[in-house]
Amino acid sequence: MAKKDSEPNRLSCIGWSIALVAAVVLEGGVGLVLMISALLIPLGIGRMPARWALDRLRDLADLHRLWAARVMGTPIPRPYRQLPEHGSAARLDAYRTDPATWRDIRWLAVDLTGGQLLAAIPAGGVFLSVLGYGYVLKDWVDRQRQPAFIADLPHMVPAGQHQAVALGLGLAFTVVTYFVAKPALRGYTWLQHQLLSPAETVRLATRITELTRSRDDAVDTQAAEIRRIERDLHDGAQARLVSLGMSLGMAEQVLAADPDAAQQLLAEAKVATGLALSELRELVRGIHPPILADRGLAGAAEALALGSAIPIELSVNLPGRAPAPVESAMYFALTEVLTNMAKHSGATNAWIRITHEAGRLGVMVGDNGRGGADMPEGGGLAGVARRLAGFDGIVGVASPVGGPTIVTMELPCQLAYALS
């Protein structure tokens, strides 16, 4: 369950209760479409509404997971299998065979038939309080009219005192609502966790699938990196060294007969040596930049910001150094994001935030560009996701058309030692 210091205050809990009760309308609509489509599928006309309803059901479940994690401090795992992008029949079959779908349906049924009562307690208290205060106000304006719920009150109390009773009831409901708001939402969060969390076997199977996928991605990324290094060596430093060898050989042959020509060839060899060394340094820098080894992720990010053509504001809150493989992965991920930003965003300024909280290293990159960024397969951001997946990292992109764009990268990591 949530830790008390991560919960909202009582007034916020009352506001969230009202919002959760309002969400019942969406849940009821999705449930109704789901039931109708289930009846129509045997007739061959219910696939499209069923797919829509199941998509929306998963969205609603994810919203409740997000609320439980962000508001109440209770993360709920999201153990869905990957769905096919196209084809209603294939998508429906994937939904049908995914145990998480049936868990979501059970959650929707419980939430609609009784689960929401816990969340509705504070909202109901607010409603009753407003009725009490409203009655007093209305009676003050027009003492001849009384709401139905208080109509018999004059028969139980002396005439002229029903306003005081209504005001007392309103105050009582206000006080009760104030003190039960937190326990009610705690109970509702516990119920959400019980209904939406996967069984341990399903969680382990999902985890194995994720690890297998991230391992395959890491192997593919490593193989691609090795091919890049081989290509850079072959086309760059190796070619320079071959040219250097030929120049030295020719200089050796003409040294006695034509010293001037030999001197010119040696000068060319010297230039080729400098170029080969420069290309080797660039290659090594692409494998593991020296500044990353010397100054860590913070220093390397500062160098990237200073070298960017777009003005970048950098904010770093790292009390220590992450392990070298983690720093390297995050550095190259950040480099790829900045490269994409420079090429495609049209931004005039940007910012980078690097933090370490709750055992997770986080890097956020934002810009004021045109927006519309996504993560197509084979694109730069998809490559960033594959790189970080080998460390159980995640990548999120928020980029509405018109901007701004915010890319969030996180991975679990413990800082190795404190910075001096």
Side-chain angles (χ1 to χ4, degrees), residues 39-67:
L39 296 175
L40 294 177
I41 283 179
L43 303 178
I45 56 175
R47 292 186 179 276
M48 290 299 294
R51 172 181 170 177
W52 179 89
L54 290 171
D55 285 342
R56 301 294 77 76
L57 174 61
R58 188 163 289 191
D59 291 340
L60 286 172
D62 281 341
L63 282 175
H64 280 74
R65 289 187 180 93
L66 181 64
W67 172 81

PDB file of all heavy atoms in Angstrom, residues 39-67:
ATOM      1  N   LEU A  39     -22.493  -9.762 -27.451  1.00  0.00           N
ATOM      2  CA  LEU A  39     -23.709 -10.392 -27.979  1.00  0.00           C
ATOM      3  C   LEU A  39     -23.745 -10.366 -29.505  1.00  0.00           C
ATOM      4  O   LEU A  39     -24.348 -11.254 -30.131  1.00  0.00           O
ATOM      5  CB  LEU A  39     -24.944  -9.674 -27.426  1.00  0.00           C
ATOM      6  CG  LEU A  39     -25.136  -9.752 -25.902  1.00  0.00           C
ATOM      7  CD1 LEU A  39     -26.325  -8.900 -25.488  1.00  0.00           C
ATOM      8  CD2 LEU A  39     -25.331 -11.200 -25.458  1.00  0.00           C
ATOM      9  N   LEU A  40     -23.088  -9.360 -30.094  1.00  0.00           N
ATOM     10  CA  LEU A  40     -23.141  -9.215 -31.550  1.00  0.00           C
ATOM     11  C   LEU A  40     -22.064 -10.011 -32.281  1.00  0.00           C
ATOM     12  O   LEU A  40     -22.205 -10.287 -33.485  1.00  0.00           O
ATOM     13  CB  LEU A  40     -23.013  -7.737 -31.928  1.00  0.00           C
ATOM     14  CG  LEU A  40     -24.160  -6.821 -31.498  1.00  0.00           C
ATOM     15  CD1 LEU A  40     -23.847  -5.374 -31.893  1.00  0.00           C
ATOM     16  CD2 LEU A  40     -25.479  -7.273 -32.124  1.00  0.00           C
ATOM     17  N   ILE A  41     -20.981 -10.371 -31.580  1.00  0.00           N
ATOM     18  CA  ILE A  41     -19.885 -11.083 -32.246  1.00  0.00           C
ATOM     19  C   ILE A  41     -20.356 -12.391 -32.885  1.00  0.00           C
ATOM     20  O   ILE A  41     -19.959 -12.698 -34.027  1.00  0.00           O
ATOM     21  CB  ILE A  41     -18.731 -11.325 -31.252  1.00  0.00           C
ATOM     22  CG1 ILE A  41     -17.933 -10.029 -31.065  1.00  0.00           C
ATOM     23  CG2 ILE A  41     -17.792 -12.425 -31.756  1.00  0.00           C
ATOM     24  CD1 ILE A  41     -16.784 -10.143 -30.095  1.00  0.00           C
ATOM     25  N   PRO A  42     -21.199 -13.209 -32.226  1.00  0.00           N
ATOM     26  CA  PRO A  42     -21.671 -14.430 -32.899  1.00  0.00           C
ATOM     27  C   PRO A  42     -22.419 -14.149 -34.189  1.00  0.00           C
ATOM     28  O   PRO A  42     -22.503 -15.016 -35.065  1.00  0.00           O
ATOM     29  CB  PRO A  42     -22.593 -15.073 -31.845  1.00  0.00           C
ATOM     30  CG  PRO A  42     -22.085 -14.558 -30.535  1.00  0.00           C
ATOM     31  CD  PRO A  42     -21.651 -13.166 -30.819  1.00  0.00           C
ATOM     32  N   LEU A  43     -22.961 -12.938 -34.333  1.00  0.00           N
ATOM     33  CA  LEU A  43     -23.662 -12.565 -35.561  1.00  0.00           C
ATOM     34  C   LEU A  43     -22.718 -12.013 -36.617  1.00  0.00           C
ATOM     35  O   LEU A  43     -23.153 -11.697 -37.730  1.00  0.00           O
ATOM     36  CB  LEU A  43     -24.743 -11.521 -35.250  1.00  0.00           C
ATOM     37  CG  LEU A  43     -25.792 -11.944 -34.198  1.00  0.00           C
ATOM     38  CD1 LEU A  43     -26.772 -10.804 -33.949  1.00  0.00           C
ATOM     39  CD2 LEU A  43     -26.523 -13.206 -34.652  1.00  0.00           C
ATOM     40  N   GLY A  44     -21.421 -11.866 -36.236  1.00  0.00           N
ATOM     41  CA  GLY A  44     -20.425 -11.403 -37.196  1.00  0.00           C
ATOM     42  C   GLY A  44     -20.366  -9.909 -37.366  1.00  0.00           C
ATOM     43  O   GLY A  44     -19.761  -9.422 -38.324  1.00  0.00           O
ATOM     44  N   ILE A  45     -20.966  -9.132 -36.444  1.00  0.00           N
ATOM     45  CA  ILE A  45     -20.984  -7.674 -36.603  1.00  0.00           C
ATOM     46  C   ILE A  45     -20.470  -6.952 -35.362  1.00  0.00           C
ATOM     47  O   ILE A  45     -20.659  -5.745 -35.246  1.00  0.00           O
ATOM     48  CB  ILE A  45     -22.409  -7.172 -36.928  1.00  0.00           C
ATOM     49  CG1 ILE A  45     -23.394  -7.633 -35.831  1.00  0.00           C
ATOM     50  CG2 ILE A  45     -22.848  -7.647 -38.290  1.00  0.00           C
ATOM     51  CD1 ILE A  45     -24.785  -7.072 -36.019  1.00  0.00           C
ATOM     52  N   GLY A  46     -19.813  -7.670 -34.454  1.00  0.00           N
ATOM     53  CA  GLY A  46     -19.400  -7.029 -33.216  1.00  0.00           C
ATOM     54  C   GLY A  46     -17.911  -6.855 -33.039  1.00  0.00           C
ATOM     55  O   GLY A  46     -17.469  -6.443 -31.959  1.00  0.00           O
ATOM     56  N   ARG A  47     -17.127  -7.154 -34.061  1.00  0.00           N
ATOM     57  CA  ARG A  47     -15.677  -7.114 -33.866  1.00  0.00           C
ATOM     58  C   ARG A  47     -15.154  -5.689 -33.657  1.00  0.00           C
ATOM     59  O   ARG A  47     -14.323  -5.456 -32.772  1.00  0.00           O
ATOM     60  CB  ARG A  47     -14.964  -7.754 -35.059  1.00  0.00           C
ATOM     61  CG  ARG A  47     -15.196  -9.252 -35.163  1.00  0.00           C
ATOM     62  CD  ARG A  47     -14.344  -9.853 -36.279  1.00  0.00           C
ATOM     63  NE  ARG A  47     -14.554 -11.298 -36.373  1.00  0.00           N
ATOM     64  CZ  ARG A  47     -13.921 -12.188 -35.624  1.00  0.00           C
ATOM     65  NH1 ARG A  47     -13.030 -11.766 -34.737  1.00  0.00           N
ATOM     66  NH2 ARG A  47     -14.154 -13.468 -35.750  1.00  0.00           N
ATOM     67  N   MET A  48     -15.596  -4.762 -34.461  1.00  0.00           N
ATOM     68  CA  MET A  48     -15.096  -3.396 -34.345  1.00  0.00           C
ATOM     69  C   MET A  48     -15.461  -2.753 -33.001  1.00  0.00           C
ATOM     70  O   MET A  48     -14.592  -2.195 -32.319  1.00  0.00           O
ATOM     71  CB  MET A  48     -15.606  -2.545 -35.505  1.00  0.00           C
ATOM     72  CG  MET A  48     -14.981  -2.919 -36.850  1.00  0.00           C
ATOM     73  SD  MET A  48     -13.173  -2.692 -36.844  1.00  0.00           S
ATOM     74  CE  MET A  48     -13.073  -0.919 -36.679  1.00  0.00           C
ATOM     75  N   PRO A  49     -16.742  -2.812 -32.570  1.00  0.00           N
ATOM     76  CA  PRO A  49     -17.029  -2.241 -31.243  1.00  0.00           C
ATOM     77  C   PRO A  49     -16.338  -2.991 -30.114  1.00  0.00           C
ATOM     78  O   PRO A  49     -15.957  -2.379 -29.109  1.00  0.00           O
ATOM     79  CB  PRO A  49     -18.560  -2.344 -31.131  1.00  0.00           C
ATOM     80  CG  PRO A  49     -18.968  -3.323 -32.156  1.00  0.00           C
ATOM     81  CD  PRO A  49     -17.967  -3.230 -33.257  1.00  0.00           C
ATOM     82  N   ALA A  50     -16.127  -4.300 -30.254  1.00  0.00           N
ATOM     83  CA  ALA A  50     -15.425  -5.059 -29.218  1.00  0.00           C
ATOM     84  C   ALA A  50     -13.975  -4.607 -29.122  1.00  0.00           C
ATOM     85  O   ALA A  50     -13.442  -4.426 -28.014  1.00  0.00           O
ATOM     86  CB  ALA A  50     -15.496  -6.550 -29.503  1.00  0.00           C
ATOM     87  N   ARG A  51     -13.353  -4.421 -30.275  1.00  0.00           N
ATOM     88  CA  ARG A  51     -11.965  -3.956 -30.264  1.00  0.00           C
ATOM     89  C   ARG A  51     -11.871  -2.568 -29.634  1.00  0.00           C
ATOM     90  O   ARG A  51     -10.985  -2.304 -28.819  1.00  0.00           O
ATOM     91  CB  ARG A  51     -11.418  -3.936 -31.692  1.00  0.00           C
ATOM     92  CG  ARG A  51     -10.044  -3.288 -31.802  1.00  0.00           C
ATOM     93  CD  ARG A  51      -9.543  -3.271 -33.224  1.00  0.00           C
ATOM     94  NE  ARG A  51      -8.347  -2.443 -33.337  1.00  0.00           N
ATOM     95  CZ  ARG A  51      -7.653  -2.275 -34.452  1.00  0.00           C
ATOM     96  NH1 ARG A  51      -8.007  -2.903 -35.548  1.00  0.00           N
ATOM     97  NH2 ARG A  51      -6.590  -1.505 -34.475  1.00  0.00           N
ATOM     98  N   TRP A  52     -12.816  -1.673 -30.009  1.00  0.00           N
ATOM     99  CA  TRP A  52     -12.817  -0.329 -29.439  1.00  0.00           C
ATOM    100  C   TRP A  52     -13.001  -0.390 -27.927  1.00  0.00           C
ATOM    101  O   TRP A  52     -12.300   0.301 -27.176  1.00  0.00           O
ATOM    102  CB  TRP A  52     -13.933   0.492 -30.063  1.00  0.00           C
ATOM    103  CG  TRP A  52     -14.019   1.890 -29.521  1.00  0.00           C
ATOM    104  CD1 TRP A  52     -13.373   3.005 -29.973  1.00  0.00           C
ATOM    105  CD2 TRP A  52     -14.786   2.314 -28.377  1.00  0.00           C
ATOM    106  NE1 TRP A  52     -13.684   4.093 -29.204  1.00  0.00           N
ATOM    107  CE2 TRP A  52     -14.557   3.694 -28.204  1.00  0.00           C
ATOM    108  CE3 TRP A  52     -15.642   1.664 -27.493  1.00  0.00           C
ATOM    109  CZ2 TRP A  52     -15.153   4.435 -27.189  1.00  0.00           C
ATOM    110  CZ3 TRP A  52     -16.232   2.389 -26.477  1.00  0.00           C
ATOM    111  CH2 TRP A  52     -15.992   3.752 -26.325  1.00  0.00           C
ATOM    112  N   ALA A  53     -13.952  -1.211 -27.472  1.00  0.00           N
ATOM    113  CA  ALA A  53     -14.226  -1.292 -26.038  1.00  0.00           C
ATOM    114  C   ALA A  53     -13.035  -1.853 -25.271  1.00  0.00           C
ATOM    115  O   ALA A  53     -12.702  -1.377 -24.186  1.00  0.00           O
ATOM    116  CB  ALA A  53     -15.470  -2.155 -25.803  1.00  0.00           C
ATOM    117  N   LEU A  54     -12.371  -2.870 -25.820  1.00  0.00           N
ATOM    118  CA  LEU A  54     -11.222  -3.449 -25.134  1.00  0.00           C
ATOM    119  C   LEU A  54     -10.034  -2.486 -25.120  1.00  0.00           C
ATOM    120  O   LEU A  54      -9.287  -2.431 -24.134  1.00  0.00           O
ATOM    121  CB  LEU A  54     -10.832  -4.775 -25.801  1.00  0.00           C
ATOM    122  CG  LEU A  54     -11.828  -5.922 -25.581  1.00  0.00           C
ATOM    123  CD1 LEU A  54     -11.469  -7.117 -26.444  1.00  0.00           C
ATOM    124  CD2 LEU A  54     -11.854  -6.324 -24.109  1.00  0.00           C
ATOM    125  N   ASP A  55      -9.872  -1.729 -26.200  1.00  0.00           N
ATOM    126  CA  ASP A  55      -8.824  -0.692 -26.196  1.00  0.00           C
ATOM    127  C   ASP A  55      -9.090   0.340 -25.112  1.00  0.00           C
ATOM    128  O   ASP A  55      -8.193   0.733 -24.353  1.00  0.00           O
ATOM    129  CB  ASP A  55      -8.759   0.004 -27.562  1.00  0.00           C
ATOM    130  CG  ASP A  55      -8.095  -0.856 -28.627  1.00  0.00           C
ATOM    131  OD1 ASP A  55      -7.394  -1.812 -28.255  1.00  0.00           O
ATOM    132  OD2 ASP A  55      -8.279  -0.562 -29.822  1.00  0.00           O
ATOM    133  N   ARG A  56     -10.357   0.789 -25.018  1.00  0.00           N
ATOM    134  CA  ARG A  56     -10.708   1.805 -24.019  1.00  0.00           C
ATOM    135  C   ARG A  56     -10.651   1.225 -22.608  1.00  0.00           C
ATOM    136  O   ARG A  56     -10.293   1.929 -21.658  1.00  0.00           O
ATOM    137  CB  ARG A  56     -12.108   2.345 -24.288  1.00  0.00           C
ATOM    138  CG  ARG A  56     -12.304   2.998 -25.657  1.00  0.00           C
ATOM    139  CD  ARG A  56     -11.495   4.261 -25.838  1.00  0.00           C
ATOM    140  NE  ARG A  56     -10.075   4.050 -26.107  1.00  0.00           N
ATOM    141  CZ  ARG A  56      -9.592   3.656 -27.283  1.00  0.00           C
ATOM    142  NH1 ARG A  56     -10.409   3.407 -28.295  1.00  0.00           N
ATOM    143  NH2 ARG A  56      -8.290   3.512 -27.445  1.00  0.00           N
ATOM    144  N   LEU A  57     -10.994  -0.052 -22.462  1.00  0.00           N
ATOM    145  CA  LEU A  57     -10.900  -0.687 -21.151  1.00  0.00           C
ATOM    146  C   LEU A  57      -9.456  -0.693 -20.659  1.00  0.00           C
ATOM    147  O   LEU A  57      -9.176  -0.393 -19.486  1.00  0.00           O
ATOM    148  CB  LEU A  57     -11.438  -2.119 -21.224  1.00  0.00           C
ATOM    149  CG  LEU A  57     -11.282  -2.976 -19.958  1.00  0.00           C
ATOM    150  CD1 LEU A  57     -12.027  -2.341 -18.790  1.00  0.00           C
ATOM    151  CD2 LEU A  57     -11.782  -4.397 -20.212  1.00  0.00           C
ATOM    152  N   ARG A  58      -8.548  -1.004 -21.557  1.00  0.00           N
ATOM    153  CA  ARG A  58      -7.140  -0.997 -21.176  1.00  0.00           C
ATOM    154  C   ARG A  58      -6.677   0.423 -20.844  1.00  0.00           C
ATOM    155  O   ARG A  58      -5.887   0.630 -19.921  1.00  0.00           O
ATOM    156  CB  ARG A  58      -6.299  -1.604 -22.300  1.00  0.00           C
ATOM    157  CG  ARG A  58      -4.860  -1.813 -21.941  1.00  0.00           C
ATOM    158  CD  ARG A  58      -4.174  -2.777 -22.902  1.00  0.00           C
ATOM    159  NE  ARG A  58      -4.630  -4.146 -22.734  1.00  0.00           N
ATOM    160  CZ  ARG A  58      -4.052  -5.211 -23.296  1.00  0.00           C
ATOM    161  NH1 ARG A  58      -2.994  -5.052 -24.069  1.00  0.00           N
ATOM    162  NH2 ARG A  58      -4.529  -6.415 -23.097  1.00  0.00           N
ATOM    163  N   ASP A  59      -7.179   1.415 -21.596  1.00  0.00           N
ATOM    164  CA  ASP A  59      -6.830   2.809 -21.290  1.00  0.00           C
ATOM    165  C   ASP A  59      -7.327   3.198 -19.898  1.00  0.00           C
ATOM    166  O   ASP A  59      -6.607   3.863 -19.135  1.00  0.00           O
ATOM    167  CB  ASP A  59      -7.445   3.745 -22.332  1.00  0.00           C
ATOM    168  CG  ASP A  59      -6.801   3.595 -23.707  1.00  0.00           C
ATOM    169  OD1 ASP A  59      -5.661   3.080 -23.772  1.00  0.00           O
ATOM    170  OD2 ASP A  59      -7.433   3.984 -24.700  1.00  0.00           O
ATOM    171  N   LEU A  60      -8.559   2.807 -19.568  1.00  0.00           N
ATOM    172  CA  LEU A  60      -9.105   3.136 -18.252  1.00  0.00           C
ATOM    173  C   LEU A  60      -8.313   2.462 -17.138  1.00  0.00           C
ATOM    174  O   LEU A  60      -8.032   3.068 -16.099  1.00  0.00           O
ATOM    175  CB  LEU A  60     -10.577   2.716 -18.177  1.00  0.00           C
ATOM    176  CG  LEU A  60     -11.568   3.593 -18.934  1.00  0.00           C
ATOM    177  CD1 LEU A  60     -12.947   2.947 -18.929  1.00  0.00           C
ATOM    178  CD2 LEU A  60     -11.640   4.979 -18.310  1.00  0.00           C
ATOM    179  N   ALA A  61      -7.960   1.188 -17.348  1.00  0.00           N
ATOM    180  CA  ALA A  61      -7.159   0.483 -16.346  1.00  0.00           C
ATOM    181  C   ALA A  61      -5.799   1.157 -16.169  1.00  0.00           C
ATOM    182  O   ALA A  61      -5.299   1.303 -15.040  1.00  0.00           O
ATOM    183  CB  ALA A  61      -6.989  -0.983 -16.743  1.00  0.00           C
ATOM    184  N   ASP A  62      -5.209   1.597 -17.278  1.00  0.00           N
ATOM    185  CA  ASP A  62      -3.916   2.288 -17.191  1.00  0.00           C
ATOM    186  C   ASP A  62      -4.046   3.625 -16.462  1.00  0.00           C
ATOM    187  O   ASP A  62      -3.140   4.026 -15.725  1.00  0.00           O
ATOM    188  CB  ASP A  62      -3.346   2.516 -18.596  1.00  0.00           C
ATOM    189  CG  ASP A  62      -2.708   1.256 -19.168  1.00  0.00           C
ATOM    190  OD1 ASP A  62      -2.380   0.354 -18.377  1.00  0.00           O
ATOM    191  OD2 ASP A  62      -2.537   1.180 -20.394  1.00  0.00           O
ATOM    192  N   LEU A  63      -5.161   4.320 -16.671  1.00  0.00           N
ATOM    193  CA  LEU A  63      -5.375   5.579 -15.957  1.00  0.00           C
ATOM    194  C   LEU A  63      -5.463   5.342 -14.454  1.00  0.00           C
ATOM    195  O   LEU A  63      -4.931   6.124 -13.658  1.00  0.00           O
ATOM    196  CB  LEU A  63      -6.646   6.260 -16.463  1.00  0.00           C
ATOM    197  CG  LEU A  63      -6.537   6.989 -17.809  1.00  0.00           C
ATOM    198  CD1 LEU A  63      -7.907   7.514 -18.240  1.00  0.00           C
ATOM    199  CD2 LEU A  63      -5.547   8.140 -17.717  1.00  0.00           C
ATOM    200  N   HIS A  64      -6.132   4.263 -14.058  1.00  0.00           N
ATOM    201  CA  HIS A  64      -6.211   3.954 -12.634  1.00  0.00           C
ATOM    202  C   HIS A  64      -4.844   3.527 -12.094  1.00  0.00           C
ATOM    203  O   HIS A  64      -4.504   3.849 -10.950  1.00  0.00           O
ATOM    204  CB  HIS A  64      -7.251   2.851 -12.395  1.00  0.00           C
ATOM    205  CG  HIS A  64      -8.663   3.371 -12.379  1.00  0.00           C
ATOM    206  ND1 HIS A  64      -9.330   3.751 -13.514  1.00  0.00           N
ATOM    207  CD2 HIS A  64      -9.531   3.590 -11.342  1.00  0.00           C
ATOM    208  CE1 HIS A  64     -10.545   4.168 -13.199  1.00  0.00           C
ATOM    209  NE2 HIS A  64     -10.691   4.087 -11.896  1.00  0.00           N
ATOM    210  N   ARG A  65      -4.059   2.818 -12.893  1.00  0.00           N
ATOM    211  CA  ARG A  65      -2.699   2.481 -12.462  1.00  0.00           C
ATOM    212  C   ARG A  65      -1.868   3.746 -12.283  1.00  0.00           C
ATOM    213  O   ARG A  65      -1.108   3.877 -11.320  1.00  0.00           O
ATOM    214  CB  ARG A  65      -2.041   1.555 -13.490  1.00  0.00           C
ATOM    215  CG  ARG A  65      -2.589   0.140 -13.526  1.00  0.00           C
ATOM    216  CD  ARG A  65      -1.747  -0.723 -14.451  1.00  0.00           C
ATOM    217  NE  ARG A  65      -2.242  -2.087 -14.498  1.00  0.00           N
ATOM    218  CZ  ARG A  65      -3.105  -2.542 -15.391  1.00  0.00           C
ATOM    219  NH1 ARG A  65      -3.548  -1.734 -16.338  1.00  0.00           N
ATOM    220  NH2 ARG A  65      -3.517  -3.802 -15.358  1.00  0.00           N
ATOM    221  N   LEU A  66      -1.996   4.657 -13.248  1.00  0.00           N
ATOM    222  CA  LEU A  66      -1.246   5.905 -13.172  1.00  0.00           C
ATOM    223  C   LEU A  66      -1.666   6.706 -11.943  1.00  0.00           C
ATOM    224  O   LEU A  66      -0.827   7.268 -11.228  1.00  0.00           O
ATOM    225  CB  LEU A  66      -1.477   6.722 -14.447  1.00  0.00           C
ATOM    226  CG  LEU A  66      -0.748   8.058 -14.552  1.00  0.00           C
ATOM    227  CD1 LEU A  66       0.756   7.851 -14.581  1.00  0.00           C
ATOM    228  CD2 LEU A  66      -1.200   8.820 -15.795  1.00  0.00           C
ATOM    229  N   TRP A  67      -2.974   6.750 -11.675  1.00  0.00           N
ATOM    230  CA  TRP A  67      -3.463   7.477 -10.498  1.00  0.00           C
ATOM    231  C   TRP A  67      -2.929   6.844  -9.218  1.00  0.00           C
ATOM    232  O   TRP A  67      -2.467   7.554  -8.319  1.00  0.00           O
ATOM    233  CB  TRP A  67      -4.996   7.456 -10.497  1.00  0.00           C
ATOM    234  CG  TRP A  67      -5.585   8.009  -9.241  1.00  0.00           C
ATOM    235  CD1 TRP A  67      -5.764   9.321  -8.915  1.00  0.00           C
ATOM    236  CD2 TRP A  67      -6.047   7.251  -8.115  1.00  0.00           C
ATOM    237  NE1 TRP A  67      -6.315   9.432  -7.665  1.00  0.00           N
ATOM    238  CE2 TRP A  67      -6.502   8.174  -7.145  1.00  0.00           C
ATOM    239  CE3 TRP A  67      -6.130   5.891  -7.835  1.00  0.00           C
ATOM    240  CZ2 TRP A  67      -7.028   7.771  -5.924  1.00  0.00           C
ATOM    241  CZ3 TRP A  67      -6.659   5.486  -6.615  1.00  0.00           C
ATOM    242  CH2 TRP A  67      -7.097   6.419  -5.676  1.00  0.00           C
TER     243      TRP A  67
END
